[in-house]
């Protein structure tokens, strides 16, 4: 693990922190590899149930380190970089340019967004299952200004998350999207006061970690895997994965009948 990525275990919650203060947490190749490794390790850690993805020093992530990109351009190394990042659709756990962006983990990740989450940093936030955003934080496809494409899932996940109209607005203009608008369009799940995203995301992660995991994870994966499938096929996939959780549901029903969780109490 490089110095720019830290992992802190808080019981069943893993906090992955990106820390490159001098470049607003922009990601270079070594950091991308470290982020990828941290989230693969989280996914295989039997004790960890939920991860929080956090940017240190007041920013989530300013995208790819364009200073490093300029160096590669001068060296004529762009073709080599592209070859390293090529992948096939059926490849298991491929690494993306920003690190974990091509992974579909078996467990949820919550982004704690402060300051800038722009360009590839926005794509990393979109990769997460949920986004907790500070009131002065912002998103934006800022790479539009420099001709840098979205290659970490931005053109796929953004339309799926907020709809084609909003996505085209953001993708084509590259404009800044503040927290209030992000919440309104569904880009953010929670907005919290400045400085509170990390703690709020950890609290949310701890809540998710308390639920019966087998059922929650089955429901989560069904939601991801239904994309692009005809309704009958999607419904069949839901049944095939979730029928194995019915026994847990019956046990939960017995607890409810015994007085637990009434009136929506968690």
């Amino acid at each position: 693990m490089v110095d720019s990525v830290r992992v802190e275990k808080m019981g069943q919650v893993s906090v992955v922190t990106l820390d490159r203060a001098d470049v607003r947490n922009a990601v270079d190749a070594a950091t991308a590899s470290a982020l990828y490794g941290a989230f693969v390790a989280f996914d295989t850690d039997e004790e960890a149930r939920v991860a929080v993805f956090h940017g240190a020093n007041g920013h989530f992530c300013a995208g790819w380190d364009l200073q490093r990109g300029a160096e590669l351009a001068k060296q004529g190394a762009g073709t080599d970089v592209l070859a390293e990042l090529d992948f096939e659709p059926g490849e298991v756990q491929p690494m993306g340019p920003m690190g974990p962006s091509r992974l579909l983990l078996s467990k949820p990740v919550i982004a704690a967004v402060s300051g800038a989450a722009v360009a590839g940093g926005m794509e990393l936030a979109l990769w997460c299952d949920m986004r907790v955003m500070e009131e002065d934080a912002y998103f934006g496809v800022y790479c539009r200004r420099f001709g840098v494409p979205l290659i970490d899932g931005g053109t796929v996940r953004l339309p799926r998350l907020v709809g084609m109209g909003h996505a085209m607005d953001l993708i084509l203009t590259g404009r800044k999207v503040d927290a209030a608008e992000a919440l309104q369009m569904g880009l953010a799940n929670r907005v919290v006061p400045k400085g509170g995203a990390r703690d709020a995301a950890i609290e949310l992660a701890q809540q998710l970690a308390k639920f019966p995991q087998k059922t929650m994870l089955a429901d989560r994966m069904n939601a991801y895997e239904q994309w692009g499938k005809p309704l009958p096929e999607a419904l069949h996939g839901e049944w095939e994965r979730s029928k194995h959780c019915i026994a847990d549901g019956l046990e939960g029903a017995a607890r409810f009948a015994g007085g637990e969780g009434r009136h929506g109490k968690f």
Side-chain angles (χ1 to χ4, degrees), residues 128-189:
C128 297
D129 296 87
M130 298 177 70
R131 285 149 295 281
V132 176
M133 193 173 182
E134 292 178 9
E135 59 190 0
D136 63 339
Y138 55 95
F139 291 115
V141 185
Y142 279 22
C143 50
R144 178 61 54 238
R145 297 171 293 175
F146 306 106
V148 178
L150 296 172
I151 51 175
D152 282 273
T155 64
V156 178
R157 295 188 177 102
L158 187 59
R160 292 182 176 188
L161 187 63
V162 302
M164 199 66 171
H166 287 309
M168 284 296 99
D169 181 3
L170 272 58
I171 290 170
L172 296 178
T173 69
R175 67 179 179 84
K176 180 179 181 180
V177 181
D178 63 21
E181 185 181 5
L183 182 65
Q184 182 273 327
M185 71 170 63
L187 186 51
N189 299 96

Side-chain angles (χ1 to χ4, degrees), residues 194-266:
K194 182 178 180 179
R198 182 180 183 274
D199 288 345
I202 290 171
E203 183 179 354
L204 178 57
Q206 290 170 337
Q207 176 186 331
L208 300 188
K210 292 177 182 177
F211 290 140
Q213 293 296 293
K214 185 178 179 181
T215 301
M216 185 185 77
L217 296 180
D219 287 347
R220 172 185 177 272
M221 192 58 68
N222 284 333
Y224 276 117
E225 294 200 346
Q226 60 82 27
W227 284 106
K229 292 181 179 179
L231 181 59
E233 184 181 341
L235 291 173
H236 184 261
E238 178 188 69
W239 167 247
E240 285 298 310
R241 176 175 282 110
S242 297
K243 66 184 181 182
H244 306 290
C245 303
I246 290 176
D248 292 343
L250 294 175
E251 188 275 332
R255 288 189 283 114
F256 177 80
E260 183 177 335
R262 294 293 178 86
H263 309 295
K265 184 178 181 182
F266 278 73

Side-chain angles (χ1 to χ4, degrees), residues 27-101:
V27 170
D28 59 6
T31 302
S33 180
L35 285 173
Y36 173 88
F39 282 108
V40 169
F42 156 71
D43 207 39
T44 58
D45 184 349
E46 294 183 358
E47 295 181 359
R49 292 188 169 185
V50 186
V52 169
F53 190 179
H54 166 249
N57 308 300
H59 290 286
F60 182 70
C61 175
W64 178 253
D65 189 343
L66 293 181
Q67 292 291 341
R68 178 56 179 155
E71 293 172 13
L72 292 172
K74 288 179 181 179
Q75 297 166 10
T79 303
D80 295 336
V81 172
L82 287 175
E84 291 174 1
L85 294 172
D86 265 346
F87 75 110
E88 296 298 326
E91 189 175 335
V92 178
Q93 293 186 324
M95 189 175 86
M98 294 289 291
S101 56

